[in-house]
């Protein structure tokens, strides 16, 4: 009997046969990762500093930004190092942690996008009750529930995965410890793992997508009943950034998992890399381009007025939820 303790480290193949391409990917991924960290950090900073952004929508957006930074940071730095190394390895505990974090944060993002859709539904369809329904404690509970559910699911999937025997197989055909790539190394029965992954996908990915679609069907019906064109435009503009983020997020997932399998497996790895690195960096760009309040806050920060106002009134609206506005 051979158990998983026979494996002390894993080898991440990446694109080992295309060294020149890996050099190009190193430069691209380093630049995109930098944009991701700086852009999402700026969004979180603006949400704290600018009283105009002290609302539930920007509280959830700050959670999304934090999630994007943590998600990419769980695998991109090591991947960048491996692009420059001839021998790219990761320790067994490191692989366990990396798989747990990437799976947890991906699941949490699906749930958080559904919560953000519900926030827009209440703001547009029940505006008079918005401060009552989306109060501070409720928003915090919704965010904690999203994070907790995603991390609990990842813990279950990780325990099932790492309880399997690996029999010395330690070459992962990917850039990082992705759960499907790890399961291919197991020499035991993975039918239970496959079943639990299908169930988790249905509950944590497809169910939030259904809730998002239903929310926007009701929102669209409500917007179309607004008599003035200016009112319709204002109502829709509050949702456009979130809709764009949802389309990019789920569109990339759909293309990655439902497209015909590529003849070259390296192409599938590059597409997965695009999903993991590029998509999180688009969120701050989308919200900056399609949201007047974020643009105004950014301009105020550049002009120096935002920090001076914050220092002059340090106790006013110190929490992103302390000045809840519809």
């Amino acid at each position: 009997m051979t158990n998983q303790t026979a494996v002390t480290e894993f080898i991440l193949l990446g694109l080992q046969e295309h060294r020149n391409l890996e050099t190009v990917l190193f430069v691209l991924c380093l630049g995109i990762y930098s944009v991701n960290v700086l852009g999402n950090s700026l969004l979180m900073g603006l949400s704290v500093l600018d009283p105009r952004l002290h609302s539930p929508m920007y509280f959830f957006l700050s959670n999304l930004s934090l999630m994007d930074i943590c998600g990419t940071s769980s695998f991109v730095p090591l991947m960048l190092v491996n692009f420059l190394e001839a021998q790219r390895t990761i320790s067994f505990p490191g692989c366990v942690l990396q798989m747990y974090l990437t799976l947890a944060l991906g699941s949490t993002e699906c749930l958080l996008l559904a919560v953000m859709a519900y926030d827009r539904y209440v703001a547009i369809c029940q505006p008079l009750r918005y401060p009552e329904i989306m109060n501070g404690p409720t928003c915090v509970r919704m965010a904690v529930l999203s994070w907790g559910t995603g991390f609990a699911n990842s813990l279950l999937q990780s325990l099932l995965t790492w309880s399997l025997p690996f029999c010395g197989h330690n070459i992962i055909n990917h850039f990082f410890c992705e759960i499907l790539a790890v399961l291919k190394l197991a020499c035991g029965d993975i039918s239970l793992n496959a079943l639990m992954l299908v169930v988790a996908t249905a509950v944590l990915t497809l169910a939030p997508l259904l809730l998002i679609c239903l929310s926007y069907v009701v929102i669209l019906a409500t917007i179309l009943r607004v008599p003035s064109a200016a009112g319709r435009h204002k109502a829709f503009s509050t949702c456009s950034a979130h809709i764009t983020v949802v389309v990019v997020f789920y569109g990339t997932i759909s293309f990655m998992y439902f497209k015909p399998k590529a003849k070259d497996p390296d192409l599938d790895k590059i597409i997965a890399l695009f999903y993991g690195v590029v998509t999180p960096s688009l969120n701050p760009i989308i919200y900056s381009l399609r949201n007047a309040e974020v643009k105004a806050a950014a301009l105020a920060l550049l002009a120096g007025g935002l920090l001076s106002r914050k220092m002059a009134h340090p106790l006013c609206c110190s929490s992103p939820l302390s000045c809840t506005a519809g």
Side-chain angles (χ1 to χ4, degrees), residues 35-91:
V35 170
N36 171 26
V37 173
L38 293 174
N40 282 299
S41 298
L42 178 62
L43 269 181
M44 289 190 293
L46 291 175
S47 297
V48 173
L49 293 172
D50 198 320
R52 290 169 294 186
L53 304 185
H54 291 177
S55 69
M57 181 173 77
Y58 296 106
F59 169 71
F60 294 128
L61 178 58
S62 296
N63 276 263
L64 185 65
S65 295
L66 177 62
M67 195 177 308
D68 287 336
I69 293 174
C70 294
T72 52
S73 298
S74 66
F75 72 94
V76 170
L78 179 62
M79 182 184 70
L80 291 174
V81 172
N82 286 340
F83 279 152
L84 305 178
E85 296 284 344
Q87 183 72 15
R88 56 281 306 271
T89 61
I90 182 171
S91 66

Side-chain angles (χ1 to χ4, degrees), residues 48-52 54 304-319 322-323:
V48 173
L49 293 172
D50 198 320
R52 290 169 294 186
H54 291 177
L306 196 58
L307 284 174
S308 61
R309 286 201 304 270
K310 187 68 177 178
M311 293 177 68
H313 306 284
L315 297 179
C316 175
C317 301
S318 58
S319 166
S322 60
C323 296

Side-chain angles (χ1 to χ4, degrees), residues 49-220:
L49 293 172
D50 198 320
R52 290 169 294 186
L53 304 185
H54 291 177
S55 69
M57 181 173 77
Y58 296 106
F59 169 71
F60 294 128
L61 178 58
S62 296
N63 276 263
L64 185 65
S65 295
L66 177 62
M67 195 177 308
D68 287 336
I69 293 174
C70 294
T72 52
S73 298
S74 66
F75 72 94
V76 170
L78 179 62
M79 182 184 70
L80 291 174
V81 172
N82 286 340
F83 279 152
L84 305 178
E85 296 284 344
Q87 183 72 15
R88 56 281 306 271
T89 61
I90 182 171
S91 66
F92 187 92
C95 190
V96 172
L97 179 62
Q98 190 179 76
M99 192 188 83
Y100 173 73
L101 290 176
T102 53
L103 186 60
L105 293 164
S107 303
T108 305
E109 184 158 359
C110 296
L111 297 171
L112 193 61
L113 288 174
V115 169
M116 295 173 76
Y118 176 74
D119 169 70
R120 293 298 85 207
Y121 159 76
V122 176
I124 293 174
C125 301
Q126 302 184 53
L128 297 180
R129 297 188 61 204
Y130 184 76
E132 174 193 349
I133 296 174
M134 301 302 293
N135 57 67
T138 299
C139 292
V140 171
R141 283 195 294 268
M142 294 171 76
V144 170
L145 183 62
S146 299
W147 285 85
T149 303
F151 276 76
N153 168 66
S154 182
L155 179 61
L156 174 61
Q157 303 293 344
S158 298
L159 290 174
L160 290 173
T161 299
W162 299 113
S163 63
L164 293 168
F166 287 91
C167 308
H169 303 154
N170 71 333
I171 300 178
I172 298 176
N173 190 20
H174 215 297
F175 294 106
F176 58 96
C177 293
E178 193 260 347
I179 186 169
L180 296 179
V182 172
L183 285 174
K184 290 179 181 179
L185 303 182
C187 53
D189 181 16
I190 63 169
S191 56
L192 177 60
N193 301 76
L195 175 63
M196 294 305 296
L197 280 174
V198 170
V199 172
T201 300
V203 173
L204 300 179
T205 304
L206 299 181
L209 177 60
L210 178 61
L211 291 174
I212 292 170
C213 292
L214 289 175
S215 296
Y216 278 109
V217 166
V218 179
I219 288 171
L220 182 61

